Every structure is written in C-alpha cells, then in structure tokens.
Amino acid sequence: MRHILLVAATLVAAPPLVAQNPLTARDSALHALNRLAYGPRPGEADSVAQLGVMRWIERQLDPDRIDDKALEQRERAFRILHYDREDLAQRYRDVQRESSPPHPLSASRRGGMGVRSEFRELGGQLQQLAIVRATFSERQLREVMVDFWTNHFNVFVGKGADRFLVPSYIEQTIRPRALDGRFEDLLIATAESPAMLFYLDNAQSVAAGSEPPRRSSGFFGRRRFGMNEMRPEQERRRPTGINENYARELLELHTLGVDGGYTQQDIIEVARIFTGWSIERPERGAGFVFRDWAHDHGTKHVFGLTFHDEGKDEGIKLLKFLANQPATMHHISTKLCARFVADEPPDGCIDAAVAAWQKSRGDIRVVLRAIFTSPDFWAPDAVQAKVKTPFEFVVSAVRAIAADPDTTPRLAQMVARLGEPLYQQPAPTGYAETEAHWVNSGALLARMNAAVALAGGRLPGIDANLDTVIPATTDHSQLVSAVDERILGGTMSAHTKSVILNQLADVADPLQARALAVGLALGGPDFQKQ
Amino acid sequence: MSISRRVFVKAGGLAFVSLGLDPLFLARAAFAQRGPTVQPSNRPTLVCLFQRGAVDGLNMIVPHGERLYYQERPRIAIPANEVVDLDGHFGLHPSLAPLKSLWDNKSLAVLHAIGSPDSTRSHFDAQDYMESGTPGMKATADGWLNRYCDHDREHAETPFRAVAFGPQLPRILAGTAPSLALDDLQAFGLRVPQEAARDRLTRAFEELYDGAGTGLLASSSREGFEAVQMLKRADPTQYRPTAGVEYPPGRVGRTLLQIAQLIKANVGMEIAFADCTGWDTHVNQGSSEGQLSARLRELGLALSAFSRDLGDSMRNVVVLTMSEFGRTIRENGNSGTDHGHATAMLVMGGPVNGGQVLGRWPGLDVDKRFEGRDVAVTTDFRDLFGEILARHLGAGDLAPVFPGYAPAATRFPGAIKV
C-alpha cells in the first residue's frame, strides 16, 4: 500500500519538478539514459522523451515487469551460467590437480592444458557476460545497480577459492537483491556469501582456543585441495584465533564508513560475533556453514548492544542494526549520489536519499526514487558532469553503434586495458567513482584506440551493424549530423563538428569517412562524459 | 628533461591561451632546438622490479654459512661449492653470477630479512600492502610511489615521470598523480599501421581535446600527446644497446631494455616500474638448476645487461627488487617451499652503498624464526623504500608517503650513499 502511494506521489510530483528544471524533454531523457542506463541506443533519447522521462524511470524501478527476452536469448550462449558453485569447485580442483607436481605419465595422458584452459575461458565469459548484460538488458537500472553493489561489496576473483566462488556471488547474492528489497537483505546476503567469507578471511576466523571436534573435518583440515593461498603446509596450520579483516571492512566500507565513529575494540567485538561463519569444504560445494565449535560463545558488547551466546543470530542481529544506522544511511546515500548525480554530490540529494531510507528502512528502490526526483539530479550543472568509467565507456560505445558482441572476452579485455578489469580489483574498496581516478594520459589514448577499433568494425567476435545506425554517404555534413544525432544524442560541440569535418575533407570513400567520423566521435571528449 | 624544457612548456601553455598556438608546437620547437641528446641525464631514476609470487630469498641470496640451511633443505639447498660467495656467510645463487662484478665494484647491495610487519601469507594481501605502503590497512586507495609523486610535484611536468611497463597501472602507482602505463614503447600512441594515417588521427584527436577546455580530460590528453610526440622525436628505440651488450630473451630483458632506452632518451623519467613473475615455487623448485634457477638466470642476465648498457648513466640510477614475502626455511614434501615471511631484496646502481649484505640477520635457529618456521623480518620494507626516496630521489617529507609510519633516517638500512 505504501509502495503504491509513493508511486502516486511521485507521478503527481513530476510536473512541477519538470517545470522547475530547465532541461528540455529530450535533454532530460538523455540525462536519465546516461545515468540510470549505459547511455542511449540510437533513437532511444527520442523514445524515452516521448514516453515521458519520469514514466520511463518508474518502469526502470520495477524491472521485473519489463520484457527482457532478447537478453535471455543471448545469456543462453554463456556456458558459465550452466554451472553452479559445486560444478565450478569441481573444475577448479581439476585445474589444481593438473598443476600439481609434473608427472611424466599424467602430463602426457591428460594431453596438455585442457581443464586449465576451460577454466580460464569460463573466467573470460564471466567478465564478458557483465558487458553483454549491461549492453542489451532492457532493465538498465538493475544492471547499473548490479555494477554499483558488486563494486561496493567488492571481492577479488584472483584470490584463491574466489576463482570459483565469484560467479555464484554475482548470480545468487548480488543480482537478485540489486534493486529489489532492502539494503539489509543485501548486506546479510554478502556476509553469508562464500565469496566474501573467503575474500575477507572470515572463513578462517575462529574463537581463540577453539578446537574442531575431529581432525580434518573442515575446510582447513583438507590436504588434497591445493589452492594457491592454502598449500598443504598451511592447511595443516589450523587457524587459531579471530581474523579482523571482515569486521573492519564491514564497518569501514560496507556500512558505517571510515568516519563512522567506531574503535579498534569495536572491530574486535564484531570479529568475535562473526567467528564460526565459514565455508564448507570444496567437495561439499563450498557453501556457507556456521561452525558452532569455532564460534566465540562469550558475551560481546558493541554499539550499546549486548550479544550473549546466540550463535549465528548474533551476526544477523548486528547486520540489521548496522544496516540502518544513520552513519550507514549517509555513507551509502553519498555513494549512490556520487554514482548518479556528481562526483562530489550536493547535500540536497543526499538528504533526500537518507530521508527516504529512514522512512522505508532502506528499501533500495525508494531510496533511488528519492535521488531521481531530487532537484540536484536534474540541475543543469549535473548534466554531462561525470566522466564515464572504462566499463561505462565501452558499454555505452557498443550501445551507441549497435554492435553485437559474442561470448569471447574481447570487450572484457578492452575494459581491462582501459584500467578496470572486471572482478579484479584486489582492494576491498572497489573501483573509484571519480574522474581523477580514470582520466590519465595513457588511459585516454587507450580510449581513443578502443573507439577507433570499434568504429572500424574489424574486431573479431564483434559484429558491427553501423549500416543500421549511420548510413554510409559521401555527403560529409550529412554524415557528421547523423553521427551527432544518432551517437552523441545531439550533444556534439561546434568545435568537434568542425574538427571532424576538416578531417573528412579529403576522404572520398564513404565507408572510410564513416569509420573516421564515428571513431573520432566515440574517442573524443564529448563521449567521455555522461 | 632539463629546466629549459619546463620553461618552454609553461610558456607554451600561456601562448596557447593568448594566441591560439598549440603548446605542443612550441614544445616540439624546443625539442627540435635541443635535439635528443645522449648525454647522461642528471635526474635520478628509480627502477622497481616486483618479483610477484614471493621469491625464495634463501635460495636467491644463500646463507651458505648456516648449517641449518642445509639441514632444512636436503633436496633444494644450493651446494656450498656452487654458491657465488659474497662475504663468507652469504652468496649468490649461481644463476646470479653475472651480478658478482657489480658486487665487487660496490654498486650492488643486498638487504636480507626484509619484509612486512603484517603476518599475512596471502600473495594478494601481501602484494597489496607492499604496493599501498600501509601494511595491515586494506582500505588505502593509492600506492606509495604515486603518493610520492603527488607530494613532490617538482618534476610533474613530464608525462614520463612515472612509467609502469604493462597494460595497466599497478596498485603501487594508483592515485591522483599522473603516471603512464606503457605496454610497449614502439606501440605507444594511436594504433594505426600507416604512419601518415596515424599522424592524421593523432592530430585530429589533439584538436578535439584542445577544444574541450581546461578540465582533466583536456590536460590529460595534452600530456598523452606530448608523450607521443616526445617519443616520436626522441625515438628511444633508436638507442640500441651498447656494443657487446645483449639482453636475455623474455619479458624482463625486454622491459629493462625499454627502460634503458627511455633513460637514454632523456625524457625525464624518474620512476620506472615493472613486474617480474614466476617465483611461486611450491613444487620442484630446483637447486643450482631447475625452475627457480631459470628465473634467476633471466633476472641476473637482464640486470647485468641493463647496468652495462647504461654504463656511466648508472651513476643516477637505482634498481630495486621487491617481493611480497619470502618462503619457508624448510623445504616441503614436493621439493618446493611454501609461503613464508622475510625475503631478500637487491639494490643496484651508482648511488648504492654496495658490496655488503645489509639489515640485521636473525639467523635460522628455530627460536629466532617467525612463528617457528620462517625467516623473521628485521627490516620493515618501508625503511628501505623510504631511504631510497629520501636519499636517491630527494624526497623531502616521507610522512605523507607512508602514513602512520614515517620512516626515520635512524632506521634507514644504509643502502644509499649519503
């Protein structure tokens, strides 16, 4: 009921809002497509303007009602989606066995690097899948939020068992909760996820002095499973005390924020609460397990709360508490506004998001709606004020020229070359949102090269459909107008126009002229912004 | 790059605003006037090689004077008669023999038992700490080399000030100060096969971004194209190695050759960084021959070639090797070694207090070991890194580079001549 009322309130509020915003309907549509989506596909700014930008935003906030069959069709080609965590754990163990001591017989019998290369291929598919989804999904806002939360709750695919735990982290932990439900649901899901438990070492955090009931019953008792991070020598060394890593990042990065007002003693208490939150051994699927023997059964005091021997419930209680602390609301709202409004977001939109959070107990779509209806979001200052991240740049370029990638990680490699290899940020901070982090001379040259390569249409694994976007023509001013309209959404500066026209002056071949014009448009400064 | 170039570029920037002239035009004119010269640069350069995967410090710099070393490593110890002795107690792995002459002429020092105060044995965490420069603090966003550049802006005018060889900027150079990731010296810039087409496209993008105003996009693009033009003018690839010097095949040799070319081309490079992989020797590590030996041979030949290639220019160059941690004292059941704690680092170059093994050696006795099994850390890596920044590159204030630590001269291990 409350949900319906809020929708109604928003729709009613829309006209005065648009009245006080000086953007035209088309500029508003373009702005929304740049922020809530990965940029417009050809003609999309017009169709969104026609529908009404606020109505389009409401649809994006309710993604399950949007038909996404075209994407589902494409997803079927990705074998990685056919494997669950158990399958991948098994394959990973096969890879590990393959790289154990070279044995003349086993090497020749197995015939080289089959399992290993298959595993590597699956890793490439995982990255490419993120790009294909961001490119083709009609549920654009959900994809943007998947990227946002994946980055907020960062895990590093290169760390030991996370090589096979990340796919299920994306599919089962992040994606179903990116837009639907409350922040606390997502927070609890990440806390229980094997990928996070391994990445931030909570899987090996045990109460001081605790002993497993029998030898080799747990993840660490196994000897045959030779992950890089855990060689037999270390596996024999059973963890003997708490590990604070998850507790620290939970407070500093996931919830309260670095200035959230907690102490080292708080971190220790939080770590004690999470002792026993661990992972099953890989041959049993590497799923979440609460090990009572490893849990600290003593009383913990933190943030004015008392936890007394309530087992796993202690952690759940703490996560629900943290999820709705004022510091958390402010921290996450600021990050959301940095993503959707400006690198240094104004207070107005942050306050609006925090107020919505308080009212809805952190309902993600309610918080987002508050941002999208705040005057700061629609301020002319906010338009084109952010530089695209490498991921946003590549996806928006592919959308702009209606290119059609397959499952090979060609575009994923391009994103990596531009500095943002997906799932490969080792630091738990995730990637930065700010311009200063992404714009440097080498990275810009790399963007120009990527633009020229995409426009040239000769990248293997990517079907270019430029004919459907910009018909080849010998009329250069018509060509440049088409590029401006269809690719830059009419934002091409007079300077850019004249530079491109100048360059085209002596290019007779219409295909060459088109490739040059599109390459310069995608690689130029206008397209780097959103 | 000399002072005069800096002035020219600055003047060029002004001219650009007032007369609509391209600062690159002036920069190029300045460059053409001076021409690429082969004179040794006066700018100090630091070359960092990261041995990712945790090198076995005990088989790289062998404590052949220790009975326990042989006792703990029956299959993989380097036989005493094959070690290249340094000081009667330590010696080089035989594959590093090409470095002996550098030790003898006092331009190679070894730091043993160096590492992180953090006890992690995860490659990922330990590399992260060594690059962020904040052991134990995972949330540090930038790297210590970048913080140095950011804090000490005197040389910021050249796009080649800090160069990482590889497709991406490594963690150690992440941050707000501009730095360049350079995959291949010859392919840097726009990738268009024909030179005429490439020049044309370059010109077009330059114009596009010059019109973008004064923001970071415009300035970064200018730096990028300045780098491209500087490279074209200076043509570092024209600098073939000094007669008789041959770099070994492989990535390390190729990278050090390119670093030498950039140093000779005098483009103002202060920091060069490169990865050097393949040290995670859990299985069949080998002894005088084998897996580790092959990696060390390539490294030793490449460093030796680099030093001979640069010749007199080495007086302003320091090469530092680093690795996230060392390996277990005792060999494992697979004739390899597992993740340990302290390791050894090499410091090489003209400014180095060479010919000595620095740092306090804790010995291999069980009660002196870290957690009963690994070489204990007696030198915090920040003390060595800090000393090199202060005494070689002339960093004034190390506090912002290593927050929460601030290396003090009293703790410097003494790797650089004062």
Side-chain angles (χ1 to χ4, degrees):
Chain A
M1 186 59 194
R2 190 170 56 183
H3 181 70
I4 295 166
L5 280 179
L6 273 169
V7 174
T10 312
L11 291 177
V12 172
L17 179 92
V18 175
Q20 61 171 253
N21 120 42
L23 303 180
T24 66
R26 196 169 184 284
D27 288 349
S28 302
L30 199 57
H31 182 53
L33 281 162
N34 271 328
R35 300 298 172 84
L36 278 69
Y38 287 98
R41 285 174 292 192
E44 206 168 17
D46 289 322
S47 61
V48 169
Q50 215 159 22
L51 174 74
V53 68
M54 295 317 290
R55 184 166 298 170
W56 179 81
I57 288 177
E58 274 308 317
R59 284 190 186 175
Q60 287 296 318
L61 282 167
D62 192 7
D64 288 336
R65 301 177 62 164
I66 302 173
D67 180 279
D68 217 3
K69 291 222 170 51
L71 174 67
E72 285 157 22
Q73 180 82 28
R74 281 168 195 283
E75 284 180 336
R76 275 183 218 127
F78 285 84
R79 279 192 303 127
I80 181 94
L81 288 177
H82 303 311
Y83 298 133
D84 60 14
R85 197 178 53 232
E86 286 86 346
D87 297 332
L88 291 172
Q90 177 59 43
R91 277 179 161 69
Y92 187 70
R93 293 170 70 217
D94 292 345
V95 170
Q96 293 296 321
R97 263 189 220 125
E98 213 177 51
S99 55
S100 52
H103 189 278
L105 276 177
S106 68
S108 56
R109 213 177 35 233
R110 284 182 182 272
M113 308 279 278
V115 191
R116 179 179 289 260
S117 72
E118 190 207 7
F119 201 80
R120 195 179 299 127
E121 188 205 321
L122 288 175
Q125 278 200 6
L126 178 70
Q127 298 178 314
Q128 183 77 0
L129 178 60
I131 293 167
V132 165
R133 280 168 162 165
T135 303
F136 293 105
S137 179
E138 299 293 336
R139 301 161 182 168
Q140 282 282 293
L141 179 59
R142 176 180 282 164
E143 294 304 324
V144 168
M145 289 310 294
V146 166
D147 181 53
F148 177 84
W149 294 124
T150 303
N151 198 51
H152 181 74
F153 293 108
N154 183 59
V155 298
F156 173 50
V157 76
K159 179 172 174 175
D162 275 317
R163 292 194 174 89
F164 66 84
L165 294 174
V166 169
S168 58
Y169 181 67
I170 303 299
E171 296 307 311
Q172 272 120 47
T173 306
I174 301 288
R175 290 188 67 84
R177 298 172 186 84
L179 192 49
D180 309 87
R182 298 198 162 98
F183 175 73
E184 67 182 34
D185 306 331
L186 185 56
L187 182 67
I188 291 169
T190 58
E192 290 180 340
S193 71
M196 186 65 79
L197 286 165
F198 187 84
Y199 171 64
L200 291 178
D201 307 321
N202 203 77
Q204 53 176 313
S205 183
V206 304
S210 60
E211 290 270 352
R214 254 179 282 122
R215 274 287 291 152
S216 87
S217 68
F219 194 67
F220 302 96
R222 295 295 301 167
R223 301 183 57 172
R224 286 290 300 161
F225 189 68
M227 285 175 295
N228 276 346
E229 299 289 325
M230 254 182 262
R231 288 282 163 176
E233 169 86 0
Q234 278 156 287
E235 288 169 44
R236 281 195 294 275
R237 296 178 63 250
R238 208 167 31 79
T240 55
I242 59 166
N243 187 305
E244 298 168 10
N245 284 343
Y246 176 69
R248 180 179 292 107
E249 307 311 350
L250 171 67
L251 302 184
E252 175 175 335
L253 300 174
H254 298 174
T255 60
L256 302 175
V258 68
D259 303 317
Y262 52 87
T263 64
Q264 174 60 28
Q265 189 55 38
D266 292 334
I267 291 174
I268 291 171
E269 296 291 289
V270 170
R272 289 177 62 208
I273 287 170
F274 284 105
T275 45
W277 289 49
S278 189
I279 315 175
E280 282 283 10
R281 53 183 195 239
E283 60 270 42
R284 294 176 63 174
F288 173 82
V289 64
F290 178 75
R291 296 190 198 289
D292 197 57
W293 65 260
H295 185 67
D296 183 331
H297 295 277
T299 304
K300 303 106 190 165
H301 299 279
V302 65
F303 305 126
L305 305 174
T306 302
F307 298 82
H308 186 68
D309 206 9
E310 296 156 73
K312 192 199 166 193
D313 288 349
E314 295 172 18
I316 301 291
K317 180 169 135 191
L318 176 69
L319 290 168
K320 286 185 173 170
F321 170 82
L322 287 172
N324 293 292
Q325 281 301 291
T328 301
M329 297 184 204
H330 197 265
H331 175 216
I332 311 290
S333 296
T334 305
K335 272 188 87 169
L336 283 167
C337 290
R339 171 75 176 225
F340 286 106
V341 182
D343 285 2
E344 302 284 343
D347 289 339
C349 54
I350 300 172
D351 293 344
V354 169
W357 190 309
Q358 269 164 340
K359 272 192 219 129
S360 67
R361 200 176 158 85
D363 185 316
I364 294 170
R365 93 181 69 219
V366 175
V367 174
L368 289 180
R369 184 179 289 117
I371 295 172
F372 304 149
T373 52
S374 83
D376 289 336
F377 180 82
W378 298 103
D381 284 359
V383 176
Q384 297 284 91
K386 281 180 65 68
V387 167
K388 294 171 182 172
T389 64
F391 180 66
E392 290 166 341
F393 166 71
V394 170
V395 173
S396 63
V398 172
R399 281 168 66 80
I401 61 171
D404 192 353
D406 65 13
T407 63
T408 55
R410 187 75 46 179
L411 291 172
Q413 286 157 1
M414 188 180 270
V415 174
R417 269 200 302 278
L418 302 186
E420 193 184 6
L422 299 179
Y423 314 123
Q424 289 180 41
Q425 162 66 297
T429 50
Y431 288 114
E433 182 59 48
T434 48
E435 171 179 347
H437 189 85
W438 295 117
V439 180
N440 66 66
S441 50
L444 262 192
L445 284 165
R447 286 189 187 210
M448 295 169 203
N449 277 318
V452 170
L454 281 170
R458 284 188 297 271
L459 289 175
I462 302 166
D463 273 348
N465 297 318
L466 265 186
D467 284 337
T468 64
V469 184
I470 314 275
T473 169
T474 50
D475 181 338
H476 289 160
S477 69
Q478 197 186 324
L479 172 66
V480 173
S481 295
V483 170
D484 179 23
E485 270 308 300
R486 307 280 292 168
I487 291 183
L488 293 184
T491 63
M492 193 186 277
S493 69
H495 175 76
T496 299
K497 257 180 210 167
S498 79
V499 171
I500 296 181
L501 271 175
N502 252 335
Q503 289 300 319
L504 293 174
D506 57 349
V507 182
D509 175 40
L511 290 179
Q512 259 182 30
R514 183 176 68 184
L516 182 59
V518 172
L520 288 172
L522 294 179
D526 304 331
F527 196 77
Q528 307 312 313
K529 297 185 216 158
Q530 58 175 346
Chain B
M1 194 47 41
S2 66
I3 304 284
S4 63
R5 190 178 134 65
R6 225 178 295 167
V7 172
F8 259 109
V9 173
K10 287 211 172 116
L14 283 176
F16 169 60
V17 172
S18 53
L19 305 170
L21 286 176
D22 182 347
L24 281 175
F25 166 78
L26 287 178
R28 270 178 234 141
F31 218 105
Q33 238 176 21
R34 294 172 40 80
T37 48
V38 200
Q39 75 206 13
S41 164
N42 287 322
R43 165 172 291 190
T45 306
L46 169 62
V47 179
C48 296
L49 291 181
F50 202 121
Q51 294 176 287
R52 292 199 194 269
V55 69
D56 180 17
L58 292 178
N59 269 17
M60 180 168 77
I61 305 298
V62 182
H64 62 89
E66 304 245 347
R67 183 185 53 84
L68 274 170
Y69 169 76
Y70 290 99
Q71 198 174 313
E72 295 281 41
R73 297 184 162 205
R75 286 172 293 182
I76 63 162
I78 313 297
N81 59 354
E82 293 175 36
V83 172
V84 180
D85 181 50
L86 294 176
D87 62 1
H89 190 77
F90 293 102
L92 298 169
H93 187 287
S95 288
L96 291 179
L99 300 182
K100 179 61 165 41
S101 59
L102 296 168
W103 172 274
D104 291 338
N105 74 18
K106 309 239 181 294
S107 58
L108 172 69
V110 171
L111 242 134
H112 226 317
I114 186 168
S116 169
D118 191 274
S119 64
T120 181
R121 290 189 178 88
S122 148
H123 293 297
F124 143 72
D125 288 337
Q127 288 181 17
D128 204 52
Y129 293 153
M130 195 160 276
E131 294 185 80
S132 72
T134 57
M137 301 247 310
K138 286 193 172 189
T140 308
D142 42 17
W144 62 270
L145 278 176
N146 192 282
R147 285 197 298 277
Y148 161 71
C149 293
D150 200 39
H151 189 67
D152 192 335
R153 288 183 170 275
E154 194 203 339
H155 300 305
E157 85 292 348
T158 164
F160 291 98
R161 184 193 185 180
V163 182
F165 287 78
Q168 283 141 235
L169 275 184
R171 177 87 161 87
I172 201 167
L173 275 169
T176 48
S179 21
L180 200 62
L182 211 160
D183 208 9
D184 178 3
L185 213 42
Q186 263 172 311
F188 185 73
L190 294 181
R191 300 218 170 103
V192 179
Q194 308 83 359
E195 195 182 351
R198 182 167 61 242
D199 285 349
R200 172 203 190 102
L201 204 60
T202 303
R203 189 69 219 155
F205 273 122
E206 268 186 87
E207 276 183 43
L208 279 182
Y209 277 87
D210 273 351
T214 51
L216 193 56
L217 278 172
S219 65
S220 301
S221 139
R222 265 198 291 278
E223 281 165 25
F225 287 115
E226 193 184 340
V228 170
Q229 296 295 350
M230 278 173 80
L231 275 189
K232 199 176 167 190
R233 280 280 165 191
D235 188 13
T237 53
Q238 74 176 286
Y239 298 107
R240 306 314 308 162
T242 305
V245 173
E246 205 174 316
Y247 286 85
R251 179 146 186 110
V252 184
R254 205 160 55 238
T255 302
L256 280 172
L257 164 66
Q258 296 195 3
I259 292 173
Q261 287 174 323
L262 273 184
I263 291 173
K264 291 185 211 171
N266 219 357
V267 293
M269 183 170 63
E270 190 185 20
I271 290 164
F273 179 91
D275 282 340
C276 175
T277 56
W279 308 99
D280 198 15
T281 49
H282 286 282
V283 174
N284 289 339
Q285 170 173 324
S287 171
S288 300
E289 293 296 329
Q291 211 186 128
L292 180 66
S293 161
R295 299 302 294 127
L296 288 174
R297 182 168 298 117
E298 184 182 342
L299 178 67
L301 286 171
L303 285 174
S304 159
F306 179 79
S307 172
R308 283 176 290 130
D309 185 10
L310 280 180
D312 191 34
S313 295
M314 278 303 284
R315 68 192 158 85
N316 284 315
V317 176
V318 168
V319 181
L320 165 70
T321 69
M322 59 181 85
S323 193
E324 64 264 34
F325 42 68
R327 309 190 71 85
T328 45
I329 294 172
R330 177 182 293 179
E331 67 184 35
N332 65 21
N334 296 323
S335 300
T337 45
D338 294 311
H339 300 178
H341 200 43
T343 189
M345 296 183 184
L346 308 178
V347 194
M348 173 186 120
V352 173
N353 251 331
Q356 43 181 341
V357 177
L358 300 163
R360 187 177 68 76
W361 175 244
L364 300 179
D365 291 340
V366 176
D367 62 331
K368 298 285 164 43
R369 294 179 191 177
F370 176 73
E371 296 185 349
R373 57 176 237 170
D374 302 329
V375 180
V377 169
T378 58
T379 301
D380 187 312
F381 63 73
R382 290 169 292 187
D383 289 328
L384 175 63
F385 298 171
E387 179 185 358
I388 292 172
L389 290 184
R391 291 189 174 152
H392 177 51
L393 296 185
D397 184 5
L398 293 171
V401 181
F402 297 106
Y405 188 66
T410 48
R411 287 199 306 267
F412 288 166
I416 306 293
K417 292 178 199 156
V418 184

